[in-house]
Each structure stands twice: as C-alpha cells, then as structure tokens.
C-alpha cells in the first residue's frame, strides 16, 4: 500500500503518545510506592518527637494507609484510562488500515477496468470496419416482404 491516510498517521502518533503516557504513569506509581514506604518510616521516626503523633499513632497510621489507598486507586484509575485509550487507538488504527487497503484494492480494480476498456476501444478502432450494402426496399410494403 503506497498511500497512508492522514487519519492513520494521526492515530499512530496518538498510539505512541499514549504508550509514553502509560510508561510515565507506571513510573510515577513506582516512585509513589517507594515514597510511601519512606513516608511510613518517617511517621514511625516522628512518633517520639511529636507528642500529638505519639498519643494517637494508630489513628495517624490508619489515616496514612487510607490516604495511600486513595492515591493508589486514583493511580489505578488513571492507568486503566490510559490502557483503554491505547486499546481504542490500536483498534481504530487496524480498522483505518483495513479501510485504506480496501480503498486501494478498489482503486486498483477501477484502474484495471479502465485499462481494459481502453484496450478494447483501441482494438475496436484498429479493426477494419465491415461495410454492408444497404438494402433497398420498395416504396410500399407488401404482405410477403421479409
């Protein structure tokens, strides 16, 4: 296929951009997990320093875990959205490529038919024309004219 539609190029660019967005989303998730472990360690280290944390350490720890869970769910939702966009772009790209291939096949068939018509017209023009003598009829028709 020599001709790639503009839509196909746009979808390929979107597919590449979505792939990079997925990679960056995963990297942000990995960094957030590492920082969550570091944050838990810092919360434990701050326990003896701040009496407010020391008195209600279980509440602080549960609040931190709930906040991490909320961030993890938001990250998972973003990742799922990007994956759905990636799959949608891939499906649209496949459909567009099939449409372009079908259009190319139809155009090729149209060109072949046009070439055949031109060859038939050239062959008909090259043939000598057979001239048949005109049949002369009488002025009036009779019952037994054939």
């Amino acid at each position: 296929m020599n001709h790639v539609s503009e839509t196909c190029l746009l979808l390929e660019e979107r597919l590449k951009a979505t792939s990079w967005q997925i990679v960056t989303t995963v990297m942000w998730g990995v960094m957030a997990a590492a920082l969550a472990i570091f944050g838990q360690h810092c919360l434990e280290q701050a326990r003896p320093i701040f009496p407010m944390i020391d008195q209600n350490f279980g509440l602080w720890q549960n609040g931190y875990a709930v906040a991490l869970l909320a961030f993890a769910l938001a990250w998972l939702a973003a990742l799922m959205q990007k994956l759905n966009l990636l799959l949608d772009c891939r499906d649209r790209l496949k459909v567009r490529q099939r449409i372009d291939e079908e259009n190319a096949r139809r155009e090729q068939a149209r060109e072949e038919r046009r070439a055949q018509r031109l060859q038939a017209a050239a062959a008909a023009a090259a043939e000598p024309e057979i001239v048949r003598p005109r049949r002369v009829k009488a002025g009036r028709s009779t019952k037994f004219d054939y």
Side-chain angles (χ1 to χ4, degrees):
M1 184 166 75
N2 294 344
H3 174 69
V4 177
S5 69
E6 206 171 292
T7 308
C8 226
L9 294 174
L10 180 68
L11 285 171
E12 286 176 356
E13 288 176 7
R14 185 181 290 172
L15 190 68
K16 188 183 293 185
T18 305
S19 299
W20 276 110
Q21 288 173 355
I22 289 172
V23 168
T24 56
T25 304
V26 169
M27 286 178 15
W28 279 109
V30 168
M31 281 195 318
L35 288 175
I37 294 169
F38 178 71
Q40 180 67 29
H41 176 70
C42 287
L43 185 64
E44 289 175 7
Q45 294 294 326
R47 180 178 179 187
I49 299 172
F50 297 106
M52 182 176 60
I53 295 176
D54 194 27
Q55 291 171 355
N56 301 323
F57 183 70
L59 184 64
W60 279 93
Q61 207 169 21
N62 287 338
Y64 186 74
V66 167
L68 286 179
L69 183 63
F71 287 131
L73 290 176
W75 174 79
L76 188 62
L79 188 63
M80 292 302 295
Q81 180 187 18
K82 295 301 175 189
L83 286 174
N84 285 336
L85 183 61
L86 179 78
L87 294 176
D88 182 53
C89 285
R90 189 179 300 163
D91 292 342
R92 283 184 176 192
L93 184 64
K94 287 179 184 176
V95 168
R96 190 66 219 177
Q97 285 174 344
R98 275 189 269 147
I99 288 171
D100 287 345
E101 287 171 2
E102 182 63 30
N103 288 342
R105 266 190 250 123
R106 286 182 182 176
E107 184 65 30
Q108 185 179 6
R110 197 175 300 132
E111 289 295 326
E112 288 174 1
R113 285 192 304 263
R114 190 175 301 138
Q116 288 175 353
R117 279 193 305 246
L118 288 175
Q119 285 177 353
E127 269 182 19
E129 195 173 319
I130 300 174
V131 179
R132 296 187 182 181
R134 283 185 77 197
R135 195 168 146 202
V136 180
K137 288 189 175 182
R140 287 178 53 176
S141 170
T142 61
K143 186 175 176 180
F144 298 104
D145 274 346
Y146 292 110

